[in-house]
Amino acid sequence: MLFVNACGSFLLLVSLSTHVGSVTGSGLLAGAVLSAPWLPALLLAHPLNSLLRRRAPEHLVRAAEAASLVLTLAALAVPGRALLAVATVLVLVRGFCEALTRSATSVVLRAAVAPERLERANTFAEIGKLTGVSAGAALAGPAAAVLPLRGLVAVNAALLVLSALLAWALPAPAGNARAKADHARNTENTEKTADAGDTGDAGNAVGGAAAGGLRVEDPVLRRLFARFLLVAFWQGFHTVAVTVIPLQVLGGGTRLVGVFVAVSSVAVFAGSLAALPAQRHLGHLPSAAWALLPMPFLLAALLAGRTAPTLVLYALFLVLFEVAYVHYNNRLLAVASAAQLPAVLTLRATLLPLGVVVSILATGALCDLAGPLPTAVAVAAVTFLVTAATGTGQTWRSPVRDT
């Protein structure tokens, strides 16, 4: 379901971004279309958190997929001249549905999979989503060459029909004891939060904020989030670097930029696959290692200064980047208690894109002022400081336990 959803979404998104860029001649507007689906999750974090706490996760996935399908079918009925504007608004509105699908699917996995298999299942989910993103982006060019915008919207609608059918087949939590217990705890915590607000009891209010709000009280989860946000920091730098490195470090042109983008896409996908066999080793190394391992390859890639070595070293950086993302994402989902899980998923859906945007602005400005190599050194320095500040324990276990 994640593969089909991501494939259709990115097929339309990349095609629409290219179309907007060609019609308007603005790279800024084209980039704004690509980032548009992030905005609703940022603005609607509290409704997302509330839905994850109060509703059965498989029902949320089905509702989100159905809503995306209805919106997309409605766009097909729009007259031709207005279709571009409506399709652009469509991807913006659907961003909330897609955030809800991804977050609720994580809850479904937690409910349906035995704890000892959860990290492997989450890794498969990441591979499915990333494969869909890659396939959709790769198909956007050929599809746009033979289909008009309305045809692309129709293809997306057909894929949404399939993902909605797959969503309907998701397991209900009724057959899973852990899911029943999680749902009962979430309901109980929501009621406690409401009671605390009604009576003004200070102790209940503190507990209610942790259970029903967007605050994460567990210090273990806070440290994990700090390291998880390093991934957003790296992603922002990577978004700038795929253009800056081939042009400024290697002295190439737009063709080399295309090669760099293609190699980067393959490397990220390879990293998600490498995370599967690496699962058995991820817990044996200190958690800090997975944040620090990519940095030597990043610095070496910029210091090499030649096309082939830079491509190879930067690809290795991206492979380890993706393994680190899978590791910290899996740890967040495994460590969070039932009461904390909705807040963790909501923060993941909002802080990650926000961190990417902030990182793009910061690293892009630094590249303009100081150059790519000093920017890469700054990325490595921030990574080291955050990792050191959040401890170096081999494994992190949450003090909050489901009972």
Side-chain angles (χ1 to χ4, degrees):
M1 189 207 68
L2 288 171
F3 167 79
V4 175
N5 176 278
C7 181
S9 174
F10 272 79
L11 171 66
L12 179 61
L13 188 62
V14 174
S15 301
L16 187 61
S17 173
T18 303
H19 192 64
V20 167
S22 64
V23 169
T24 64
S26 171
L28 177 62
L29 287 177
V33 171
L34 277 177
S35 59
W38 293 347
L39 186 59
L42 291 173
L43 297 178
L44 301 173
H46 284 284
L48 177 61
N49 184 44
S50 179
L51 286 171
L52 290 171
R53 288 189 176 281
R54 295 174 181 272
R55 306 297 179 188
E58 75 282 2
H59 294 164
L60 290 176
V61 177
R62 293 167 190 166
E65 293 301 284
S68 292
L69 177 58
V70 169
L71 289 169
T72 306
L73 291 174
L76 286 174
V78 172
R81 291 184 178 181
L83 182 60
L84 178 59
V86 170
T88 304
V89 174
L90 170 68
V91 299
L92 177 65
V93 175
R94 272 181 33 185
F96 182 77
C97 296
E98 291 164 7
L100 187 58
T101 291
R102 290 190 295 270
S103 299
T105 302
S106 295
V107 184
V108 171
L109 277 176
R110 179 183 168 105
V113 177
E116 64 273 11
R117 295 173 53 229
L118 182 59
E119 292 196 2
R120 185 173 179 83
N122 285 327
T123 304
F124 271 114
E126 172 65 14
I127 291 172
K129 182 191 73 176
L130 189 59
T131 306
V133 169
S134 302
L139 291 172
V146 297
L147 292 173
L149 180 57
R150 192 176 301 276
L152 295 170
V153 175
V155 170
N156 187 205
L159 289 172
L160 280 169
V161 170
L162 179 56
S163 64
L165 291 173
L166 291 168
W168 199 260
L170 289 175
N176 185 298
R178 178 175 179 173
K180 287 181 178 179
D182 280 5
H183 184 68
R185 288 187 199 97
N186 283 342
T187 303
E188 180 183 355
N189 286 324
T190 301
E191 292 172 351
K192 285 181 179 178
T193 305
D195 291 342
D198 291 340
T199 62
D201 182 87
N204 283 343
V206 173
L214 283 175
R215 292 167 53 193
V216 174
E217 299 291 345
D218 185 355
V220 173
L221 281 173
R222 287 184 174 182
R223 292 196 296 270
L224 274 171
F225 254 117
R227 291 187 181 176
F228 183 70
L229 287 177
L230 284 174
V231 177
F233 184 51
W234 301 341
Q235 179 62 49
F237 169 77
H238 169 61
T239 304
V240 175
V242 288
T243 301
V244 170
I245 291 177
L247 293 180
Q248 296 186 20
V249 177
L250 301 179
T254 54
R255 184 176 180 180
L256 185 56
V257 172
V259 171
F260 220 87
V261 170
V263 170
S264 297
S265 299
V266 172
V268 171
F269 181 68
S272 68
L273 293 178
L276 269 178
Q279 288 295 313
R280 67 188 67 179
H281 306 294
L282 290 177
H284 298 307
L285 288 177
S287 181
W290 300 107
L292 299 176
L293 276 176
M295 293 300 103
F297 294 95
L298 172 61
L299 296 176
L302 274 82
L303 289 170
R306 290 178 295 160
T307 301
T310 295
L311 278 170
V312 171
L313 289 166
Y314 195 79
L316 290 173
F317 157 69
L318 290 175
V319 169
L320 292 170
F321 169 155
E322 182 64 19
V323 172
Y325 168 78
V326 170
H327 173 62
Y328 291 123
N329 182 58
N330 287 350
R331 295 308 306 141
L332 276 174
L333 297 178
V335 166
S337 68
Q340 295 168 324
L341 187 60
V344 166
L345 292 172
T346 303
L347 290 170
R348 185 185 68 171
T350 54
L351 291 181
L352 191 63
L354 181 60
V356 172
V357 171
V358 172
S359 177
I360 288 173
L361 296 175
T363 56
L366 189 57
C367 271
D368 289 344
L369 293 172
L373 182 57
T375 303
V377 172
V379 170
V382 170
T383 299
F384 177 80
L385 290 173
V386 172
T387 304
T390 52
T392 57
Q394 179 169 346
T395 56
W396 285 345
R397 299 293 179 187
S398 173
V400 180
R401 283 295 179 213
D402 297 343
T403 57

